[in-house]
């Protein structure tokens, strides 16, 4: 029988880092800027019933550090246009398909609801997506091929 892995759980109140509303990591000294550390943090993210956490294995012990974040910890950082759909690249380096029906605008930011996460578009990703967005009297419309969807506001 396999032995359960030992865990060291650190609650978000004790974490020494957090993520802001734009997906930027911070610690007590300010914004984290080292690209390798940021990439490592983003790739180490997980989610469970208690929230988002970073995990790593240290000497056969899984360490889970829950962290604070605003709105969401998952962000669209880029996309790839496919023949019939758009693939979104997330800060976690995962990819998901864009679902135009799941898009909405809140406080001048673009979000997409998925079964697993609330996903927010970074300013860079939003600028890249602008070729598919048209402002109309009915509101902002997403257009891609034959797909045309009014993006609702919350």
């Amino acid at each position: 029988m396999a032995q359960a892995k030992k865990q060291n759980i650190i609650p978000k109140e004790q974490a020494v880092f957090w993520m802001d509303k734009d997906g930027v990591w911070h610690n007590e000294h300010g914004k984290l800027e080292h690209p390798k550390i940021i990439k490592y943090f983003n790739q180490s993210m997980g989610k469970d019933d208690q929230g988002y956490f970073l995990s790593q294995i240290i000497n056969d012990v899984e360490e889970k550090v829950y962290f604070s974040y605003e709105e969401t910890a998952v962000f669209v950082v880029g996309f790839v246009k496919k023949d019939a759909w758009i693939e979104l690249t997330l800060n976690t380096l995962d990819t998901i398909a864009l679902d135009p029906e799941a898009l909405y605008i809140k406080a001048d930011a673009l979000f997409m609801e998925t079964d697993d996460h609330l996903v927010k578009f970074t300013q860079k990703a939003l600028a890249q997506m602008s070729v598919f967005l048209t402002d109309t009297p009915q509101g902002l419309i997403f257009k891609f091929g034959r797909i045309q969807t009014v993006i609702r506001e919350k």
Side-chain angles (χ1 to χ4, degrees), residues 131-149:
V131 297
F132 304 110
L133 303 173
T134 304
D135 198 14
T136 71
Q138 295 80 27
L140 193 62
I141 292 179
F142 171 80
K143 287 182 176 181
F144 180 71
R146 301 175 96 141
I147 299 169
Q148 183 168 317
T149 307

Side-chain angles (χ1 to χ4, degrees), residues 26-116:
H26 295 263
N27 66 17
E28 62 186 4
H29 302 292
K31 183 173 123 176
L32 298 183
E33 297 192 28
H34 195 288
K36 286 184 180 180
I37 293 172
I38 293 166
K39 183 178 179 182
Y40 179 77
F41 273 33
N42 286 333
Q43 287 180 306
S44 301
M45 277 187 4
K47 181 184 177 192
D48 62 19
D49 293 342
Q50 296 178 39
Y52 286 96
F53 59 86
L54 299 185
S55 68
Q56 63 181 352
I57 306 295
I58 302 172
N59 298 327
D60 293 329
V61 176
E62 179 187 22
E63 182 177 75
K64 289 172 87 171
V65 181
Y66 290 87
F67 61 90
S68 297
Y69 56 91
E70 299 174 50
E71 296 178 307
T72 187
V74 181
F75 291 81
V76 175
V77 296
F79 72 93
V80 176
K81 182 180 160 194
K82 304 288 185 170
D83 289 335
W85 56 289
I86 295 174
E87 181 180 79
L88 303 175
T89 304
L90 306 178
N91 58 326
T92 61
L93 299 184
D94 292 332
T95 58
I96 59 173
L98 176 86
D99 178 2
E101 297 293 328
L103 294 173
Y104 71 86
I105 299 168
K106 179 181 171 189
D108 292 330
L110 184 63
F111 293 86
M112 187 175 82
E113 295 180 66
T114 73
D115 291 339
D116 298 323

